[in-house]
């Protein structure tokens, strides 16, 4: 029972998805300092360890002193497609970019964020191939690999620059990470690309742009050859925490930092709010939901997960969490009622309660939506012979056609409210009697 109710509690901060969104910047700030760590995930859309760790950092960490800024999904459209870059490699566009380049707006905006005065240190998160080794030890373990590295473009910045000794900091972080390896061969090392003299490609990168603007910058690369996403995220978070320790950023987190805890967090997709009158839990949801009552245009989608995004496919809307295609929503268009109430009354297991318009109805045995004058209730999946309005009827789990459930366990169903043939809002009923002993 407690386990199920925990799943029904969502992060209150919602992230709005506009299909052509600008850079999403999440700020966790305190008034005690201008010291700010900027963490960037998702510059490459096929590196999920980077952006899922940035998302967990945004939602499950509290910053008690100094400041943390997070860009969890810099290249959102490429993340949806699990592509390095649908418009080319975004991490090769920081020295020069054409006016016609579709990435230009995002690149210019992240440049402005990086160069803000109070940004003290920049971390760009990646998943790299193989396991970096200074000597050749085979196809996966060699000097050309990028995985399990703290990458720097040069050893030092201006001597008066705080955190300007890049090599010393990177070596320190490497040593700290290597004390907590999951497997011995997961060791981290420092990779100095000596960008100014030896690497023309890296001269076009985000971190080199930062250091040429006197901003200490590092790339953290987990290995694409690690067996699970949770391991990639573990090493990213471990590295970020060590940078916060070096910067004396005090933080707390809501979980124990290990692979098992991270696996559970990655399975929690959070909540999707549509037009402030529909709220859907994306965890454990079916892959396809039909006849979702929305407007014909100008719909607003908000996610509790920073990696939530919407893509339009034909007439349908597809909800993503990072590169994970979570649910396809097939719409049914309605005008939205402007004079609807924000609450409704319902009898739940014999007790009358008043709920907010998108609240979940948590039921053991039965529920009965109390009739309101002028309103029509449609309980999706419940068939009542000849009735247009399904308020005033006691409904149990066995009364539903399981094909119409929202969740894969066939326990959650939609309850929709209409007034004058206009859509007002949608609630959900959760039947929990079989979970009481969990």
């Amino acid at each position: 029972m407690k386990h199920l109710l925990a799943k029904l509690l969502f992060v209150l901060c919602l992230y709005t998805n506009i299909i052509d969104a600008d850079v999403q910047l999440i700020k966790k700030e305190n008034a005690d300092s201008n010291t700010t760590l900027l963490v960037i995930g998702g510059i490459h859309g096929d590196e999920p360890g980077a952006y899922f760790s940035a998302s967990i950092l945004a939602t499950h960490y509290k910053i008690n002193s100094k400041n943390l800024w997070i860009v969890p999904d810099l290249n959102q459209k490429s993340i949806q497609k699990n592509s390095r870059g649908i418009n080319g490699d975004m991490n090769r566009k920081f020295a020069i970019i054409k006016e016609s380049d579709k990435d230009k707006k995002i690149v210019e905006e992240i440049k402005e964020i990086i160069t803000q005065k109070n940004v003290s240190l920049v971390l760009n998160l990646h998943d790299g191939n193989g396991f970096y080794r200074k000597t050749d030890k085979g196809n996966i373990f060699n000097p050309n690999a990028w995985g399990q590295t703290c990458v720097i473009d040069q050893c030092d910045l201006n001597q008066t620059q705080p955190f300007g000794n890049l090599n010393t900091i990177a070596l320190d972080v490497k040593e700290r990470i290597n004390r907590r390896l999951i497997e011995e061969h997961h060791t981290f090392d420092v990779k100095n690309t000596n960008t100014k003299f030896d690497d023309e490609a890296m001269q076009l990168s985000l971190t080199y742009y930062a250091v040429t603007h006197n901003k200490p910058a590092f790339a953290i690369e987990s290995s694409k050859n690690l067996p699970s996403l949770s391991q990639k995220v573990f090493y990213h978070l471990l590295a970020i925490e060590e940078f916060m320790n070096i910067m004396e950023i005090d933080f707390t987190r809501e979980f124990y930092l290990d692979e098992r805890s991270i696996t559970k967090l990655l399975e929690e997709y959070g909540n999707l709010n549509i037009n402030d009158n529909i709220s859907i839990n994306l965890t454990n949801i079916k892959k396809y939901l039909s006849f979702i009552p929305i407007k014909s245009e100008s719909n607003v989608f908000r996610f509790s997960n920073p990696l939530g995004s919407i893509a339009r496919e034909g007439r349908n809307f597809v909800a993503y969490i990072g590169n994970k295609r979570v649910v396809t929503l097939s719409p049914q268009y309605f005008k939205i009622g402007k004079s609807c109430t924000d609450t409704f009354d319902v009898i739940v297991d014999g007790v009358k309660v008043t709920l907010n318009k998108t609240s979940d109805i948590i039921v053991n045995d039965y529920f009965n939506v109390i009739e309101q004058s002028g309103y029509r209730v449609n309980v999706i999946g419940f068939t009542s012979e000849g009735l247009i309005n399904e308020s005033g009827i006691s409904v149990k789990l066995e009364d539903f056609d399981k094909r119409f459930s929202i969740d894969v366990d066939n326990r959650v169903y939609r309850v929709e409210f209409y007034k004058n043939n206009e859509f007002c809002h949608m609630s959900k009923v959760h039947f929990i009697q079989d979970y009481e002993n969990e």
Side-chain angles (χ1 to χ4, degrees):
M1 175 70 171
K2 292 181 180 179
H3 177 66
L4 178 68
L5 291 177
K7 285 186 176 182
L8 303 178
L9 299 177
F10 304 117
V11 179
L12 294 179
C13 180
L14 296 177
Y15 303 92
T16 302
N17 176 255
I18 304 170
I19 293 179
D20 293 316
D22 298 335
V23 174
Q24 178 185 188
L25 177 62
I26 300 167
K27 296 183 178 181
K28 295 173 175 279
E29 298 185 310
N30 295 279
D32 64 334
S33 173
N34 288 325
T35 299
T36 302
L37 170 62
L38 171 61
V39 176
I40 301 168
I43 195 169
H44 290 148
D46 60 348
E47 299 177 3
Y51 48 80
F52 275 103
S53 52
S55 174
I56 290 175
L57 185 67
T59 53
H60 291 83
Y61 280 73
K62 180 181 179 183
I63 303 304
N64 303 312
S65 70
K66 303 186 179 178
N67 308 311
L68 174 66
W69 290 3
I70 307 156
V71 177
D73 58 345
L74 185 64
N75 198 348
Q76 186 187 89
K77 290 184 178 180
S78 295
I79 289 172
Q80 287 181 347
K81 300 296 185 182
N82 198 35
S83 166
R84 183 176 179 87
I86 59 174
N87 302 313
D89 190 340
M90 186 181 285
N91 202 32
R92 297 296 181 264
K93 299 182 179 182
F94 284 81
I96 187 170
I97 187 168
K98 296 179 180 179
E99 287 293 329
S100 59
D101 196 310
K102 293 180 179 179
D103 289 335
K104 182 175 176 59
K105 188 175 182 182
I106 293 174
V107 170
E108 294 302 329
E109 190 168 330
I110 194 64
K111 282 182 177 180
E112 290 181 11
I113 293 171
I114 290 169
T115 53
Q116 288 192 32
K117 183 177 180 180
N118 55 334
V119 171
S120 310
L121 191 149
V122 179
L123 293 183
N124 195 17
L125 308 183
H126 292 270
D127 300 339
N129 292 315
F131 295 83
Y132 174 71
R133 297 291 186 268
K134 286 185 167 61
T135 58
D136 194 337
K137 299 182 183 297
N139 291 334
I140 297 178
F141 302 90
N142 58 67
N144 294 320
W146 288 85
Q148 303 301 91
T149 57
C150 183
V151 183
I152 56 176
D153 292 283
Q154 58 197 52
C155 286
D156 299 286
L157 294 182
N158 189 314
Q159 293 299 314
T160 62
Q161 172 69 41
F163 315 113
N165 194 332
L166 305 182
N167 188 59
T168 300
I169 292 173
L171 288 171
D172 191 3
V173 170
K174 176 201 79 168
E175 294 299 328
R176 297 183 187 202
I177 293 173
N178 287 342
R179 296 173 193 151
R180 292 198 57 188
L181 301 177
I182 298 171
E183 301 285 349
E184 288 186 10
H185 68 278
H186 293 174
T187 51
F188 260 70
D189 210 336
V190 176
K191 184 166 186 169
N192 186 350
T193 57
N194 198 21
T195 300
K196 183 176 181 180
F197 302 103
D198 294 339
D199 200 323
E200 292 184 4
M202 287 295 292
Q203 291 172 16
L204 311 176
S205 69
L206 182 151
T207 54
Y208 192 64
Y209 174 83
V211 299
T212 55
H213 287 77
N214 209 36
K215 297 289 185 179
F218 305 77
I220 300 299
E221 303 253 6
S222 69
S223 176
K224 290 183 176 180
N225 295 82
L226 292 169
S228 68
L229 175 60
S230 57
Q231 288 193 6
K232 297 179 179 71
V233 171
F234 169 79
Y235 285 116
H236 276 300
L237 292 177
L238 186 58
I240 293 166
E241 288 191 7
E242 295 304 347
F243 273 98
M244 288 196 289
N245 289 332
I246 287 171
M247 297 176 71
E248 298 182 343
I249 297 174
D250 183 56
F251 65 90
T252 52
R253 53 176 141 76
E254 302 172 358
F255 62 98
Y256 183 74
L257 186 57
D258 63 6
E259 187 178 357
R260 181 179 179 183
S261 299
I262 291 170
T263 298
K264 291 182 179 179
L265 293 179
L266 292 172
E267 293 171 350
E268 298 174 2
Y269 293 155
N271 199 51
L272 168 61
N273 181 295
I274 307 174
N275 298 329
D276 291 328
N277 57 15
I278 295 175
S279 182
I280 301 174
N281 183 3
L282 297 176
T283 302
N284 207 37
I285 197 170
K286 285 184 174 178
K287 295 296 183 183
Y288 184 90
L289 298 180
S290 59
F291 302 109
I292 301 299
I294 61 174
K295 299 182 291 184
S296 59
E297 58 184 14
S298 302
N299 294 286
V300 177
F301 300 87
R302 294 187 176 93
F303 295 82
S304 64
N305 191 314
L307 297 182
S309 64
I310 289 287
R312 189 73 182 264
E313 293 187 0
R315 69 182 305 272
N316 293 332
F317 297 87
V318 181
Y320 285 85
I321 298 299
N323 62 346
K324 299 179 180 181
R325 185 185 179 105
V326 178
V327 62
T328 298
L329 305 174
S330 178
Q332 185 176 17
Y333 298 123
F334 284 92
K335 289 184 178 180
I336 304 302
K338 296 182 179 179
S339 60
C340 301
T341 61
D342 289 334
T343 62
F344 65 96
D345 294 328
V346 58
I347 297 172
V348 180
D349 300 324
V351 179
K352 180 182 174 181
V353 294
T354 299
L355 298 175
N356 292 327
K357 61 183 181 180
T358 60
S359 296
D360 297 319
I361 307 168
I362 310 300
V363 179
N364 276 298
D365 185 21
Y366 76 95
F367 73 102
N368 185 328
V369 178
I370 296 176
E371 189 171 357
Q372 289 178 281
S373 178
Y375 286 83
R376 176 175 66 88
V377 173
N378 188 10
V379 181
I380 307 299
F382 170 71
T383 302
S384 56
E385 296 182 5
L387 292 179
I388 297 175
N389 183 2
E390 294 170 336
S391 60
I393 302 173
S394 295
V395 184
K396 296 185 175 184
L397 177 60
E398 55 263 31
D399 297 326
F400 282 91
D401 184 334
K402 294 180 179 180
R403 294 177 300 167
F404 294 92
S405 69
I406 293 177
D407 67 319
V408 297
D409 295 327
N410 301 318
R411 296 278 168 181
V412 185
Y413 295 85
R414 292 152 47 185
V415 181
E416 298 175 355
F417 294 77
Y418 296 83
K419 185 178 183 181
N420 299 325
N421 293 320
E422 295 179 341
F423 175 67
C424 288
H425 53 85
M426 185 184 86
S427 180
K428 289 98 52 207
V429 57
H430 294 252
F431 288 93
I432 61 173
Q433 62 264 45
D434 289 349
Y435 296 101
E436 289 182 350
N437 295 322
E438 290 191 5

